[in-house]
């Protein structure tokens, strides 16, 4: 069954998130759910992903939302607050709307860790988030 999936992508750390996007798009195409450019929505940072994901989930136009971002620790506690807000916010979107909003937001301590998770290989977390969205839809369809 083909699903209509939207992607929400953060521009912050764009060199990393662009790799996540490529992984997610490849995974969704391989699973028969290719994403049109018009269904890719950019936000400034991970903190903004839940708001746009919820609007998409409530629109009735999409079966699932894949959310991509990269939060990389800096000098302050900002990393913790953004990471938790994005994780909690996206979980709330899924639970409140019934539309899976998968968590493809890297939360790494170093840039090296982030780049190791956005390359064109099996470690790509964009692929993982895309797969999780499709597989959550399959589970929901059985209920
Ligand atoms: N430092 C990172 C951010 N910061 C920006 C926030 O996500 C948000 O856009 C801002 O606080 C305004 O509301 N975002 C990331 O995605 N990754 C980071 O490493
Ligand atoms: C995670 C972030 O907010 C990133 O911009 C690092 O910021 P800071 O060095 O101010 O903690």
């Amino acid at each position: 069954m083909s699903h209509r999936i939207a992607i929400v992508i953060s521009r912050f750390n764009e060199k990393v998130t662009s790799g996540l996007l490529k992984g997610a798009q490849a995974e969704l195409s391989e699973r028969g759910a290719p994403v049109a450019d018009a269904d890719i929505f950019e936000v400034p940072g991970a903190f903004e992903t839940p708001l746009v994901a919820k609007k998409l989930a409530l629109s009735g136009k999409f079966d699932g939302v894949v959310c991509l971002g990269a939060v990389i620790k800096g000098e302050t506690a900002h990393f913790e607050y953004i990471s938790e807000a994005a994780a909690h916010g996206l979980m709330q979107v899924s639970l409140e709307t019934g539309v899976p909003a998968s968590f493809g937001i890297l939360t790494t301590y170093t840039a090296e860790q982030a780049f190791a998770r956005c390359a064109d290989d099996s470690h790509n977390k964009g692929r993982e988030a895309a797969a999780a969205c499709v597989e959550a839809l399959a589970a929901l369809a059985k209920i």
Side-chain angles (χ1 to χ4, degrees):
M1 176 181 178
S2 177
H3 297 297
R4 188 170 179 194
I5 307 291
I7 295 176
V8 178
I9 179 168
S10 164
R11 286 193 297 272
F12 210 105
N13 292 319
E14 190 274 335
K15 289 181 180 177
V16 174
T17 62
S18 60
L20 297 175
L21 178 61
K22 289 174 184 173
Q25 287 177 303
E27 185 73 21
L28 291 169
S29 293
E30 291 163 14
R31 289 172 176 262
V35 179
D37 288 348
D39 293 341
I40 299 174
F41 300 84
E42 288 192 5
V43 294
F47 189 82
E48 283 75 32
T49 57
L51 174 60
V52 175
K54 186 167 186 178
K55 182 91 173 186
L56 291 166
L58 292 173
S59 71
K61 298 176 183 176
F62 301 99
D63 302 303
V65 185
V66 176
C67 302
L68 306 173
V71 186
I72 301 174
K73 176 123 180 73
E75 297 175 348
T76 71
H78 206 214
F79 159 89
E80 284 82 6
Y81 289 93
I82 296 169
S83 300
E84 169 54 26
H88 183 75
L90 292 176
M91 176 58 73
Q92 287 305 109
V93 170
S94 298
L95 295 174
E96 292 170 3
T97 69
V99 173
S102 63
F103 187 69
I105 311 276
L106 299 183
T107 56
T108 67
Y109 292 106
T110 66
E112 291 76 18
Q113 289 173 345
F115 283 108
R117 290 158 175 81
C118 70
D120 184 14
D121 60 25
S122 61
H123 302 292
N124 188 294
K125 293 298 184 182
R127 272 191 177 270
E128 184 178 293
C133 187
V134 173
E135 291 174 22
L137 287 167
L140 289 167
K142 289 177 62 177
I143 300 171

